[in-house]
Amino acid sequence: MPSRKKTAMFASAFFTCVCSFVMICVVLATQHWMSSEVRFSRTNSSIIVSLTYGLFSGTCGQFVDAGLYVPEKTFQVADNLGNTKAKSTITAIIVILVLGLLTSLLSSGFTCTNAVSNPYQTFLGPIGVYTWNSLCGIFILISMILFPVNVEGNGLSTELARGCFSLLQTHIKSAHTYGYSYWIMLLIIFLNISSIIIIYFYDHARYSKKKEQERPIENAPKDVILF
């Protein structure tokens, strides 16, 4: 059975890994990644399309300068994008987040195993926890980078607006606000770093204690050497 200190440390890391797993599920499930207002020109007037969307679905509404308002309607992101570069990037983000979900699940399993037992294989110990948490953090960071690139570089909001309302003409400008579903990914990265730090302190303390027990005989007291 593991010591109380090991159980406490790995149980703490297990809690952070489970929280990371839950947060990734929230990120995938919610549609508050982006809120955009996209302005288009039309003869003698302009149109503003208001969008709120995530990776799978969203809502859009239309405002016209003359005072006409088209009520919000829901849409599917994949259907509105068609076969475009923006759709490919969204698909890549979803795949990367799913990989992050799997690595977070593996990290939870490793920390739980170490909290209740002493596995013999080296990779099942701290090294495995470092590996899976690092990979999860990297996947989340890549997703955080790809999404703004898709919005700014591939005109994601503009493409979705055109998918909602087909009669839109020349795009003038866009204003974007990132929602909580996007910023939650910062919390996920923090949770992964926390797990690594917790296990590092435990592993470092164990290593220091082991080295102290194995110190050379010349460092031992003289009376012990004489004996």
Side-chain angles (χ1 to χ4, degrees):
M1 293 295 293
S3 63
R4 290 184 178 179
K5 182 177 180 180
K6 180 182 179 182
T7 299
M9 297 293 277
F10 274 94
S12 299
F14 171 72
F15 175 75
T16 59
C17 291
V18 170
C19 289
S20 175
F21 178 84
V22 172
M23 290 296 100
I24 297 175
C25 291
V26 171
V27 166
L28 284 167
T30 54
Q31 64 180 39
H32 294 277
W33 280 64
M34 175 63 66
S35 295
S36 299
E37 288 190 353
V38 188
R39 183 181 289 271
F40 296 87
S41 65
R42 195 172 68 175
T43 306
N44 300 325
S45 65
S46 64
I47 298 173
I48 298 176
V49 178
S50 177
L51 300 159
T52 299
Y53 59 90
L55 298 177
F56 298 99
S57 63
T59 58
C60 59
Q62 182 178 347
F63 301 86
V64 182
D65 284 348
L68 178 64
Y69 169 67
V70 178
E72 287 189 346
K73 62 179 181 179
T74 59
F75 64 88
Q76 297 300 312
V77 172
D79 294 340
N80 276 23
L81 292 176
N83 295 319
T84 62
K85 190 175 181 180
K87 181 178 180 180
S88 300
T89 306
I90 283 288
T91 303
I93 293 172
I94 294 172
V95 171
I96 291 170
L97 284 176
V98 170
L99 290 175
L101 192 69
L102 293 176
T103 53
S104 182
L105 183 62
L106 286 169
S107 183
S108 300
F110 275 46
T111 50
C112 181
T113 300
N114 281 271
V116 299
S117 65
N118 293 311
Y120 294 104
Q121 292 85 353
T122 304
F123 189 73
L124 293 179
I127 294 177
V129 178
Y130 296 150
T131 300
W132 296 122
N133 276 280
S134 297
L135 285 174
C136 183
I138 291 170
F139 288 141
I140 299 302
L141 181 60
I142 292 173
S143 299
M144 289 195 72
I145 294 171
L146 284 179
F147 188 73
V149 169
N150 203 21
V151 173
E152 302 293 342
N154 298 330
L156 177 60
S157 294
T158 305
E159 293 292 331
L160 291 173
R162 292 186 186 278
C164 282
F165 305 102
S166 58
L167 298 179
L168 299 176
Q169 297 178 10
T170 306
H171 171 246
I172 301 175
K173 65 177 181 178
S174 301
H176 308 295
T177 303
Y178 292 87
Y180 69 84
S181 300
Y182 177 81
W183 295 115
I184 281 176
M185 290 192 286
L186 282 177
L187 176 60
I188 297 171
I189 293 175
F190 173 76
L191 288 170
N192 281 279
I193 293 174
S194 299
S195 300
I196 292 173
I197 291 174
I198 290 170
I199 302 306
Y200 172 79
F201 278 122
Y202 163 76
D203 200 29
H204 181 71
R206 186 187 63 171
Y207 178 79
S208 299
K209 184 177 180 180
K210 184 178 179 181
K211 283 297 182 183
E212 185 179 347
Q213 293 174 346
E214 296 176 353
R215 61 183 178 178
I217 193 171
E218 58 265 20
N219 292 335
K222 290 183 179 180
D223 54 344
V224 174
I225 296 175
L226 291 173
F227 176 78

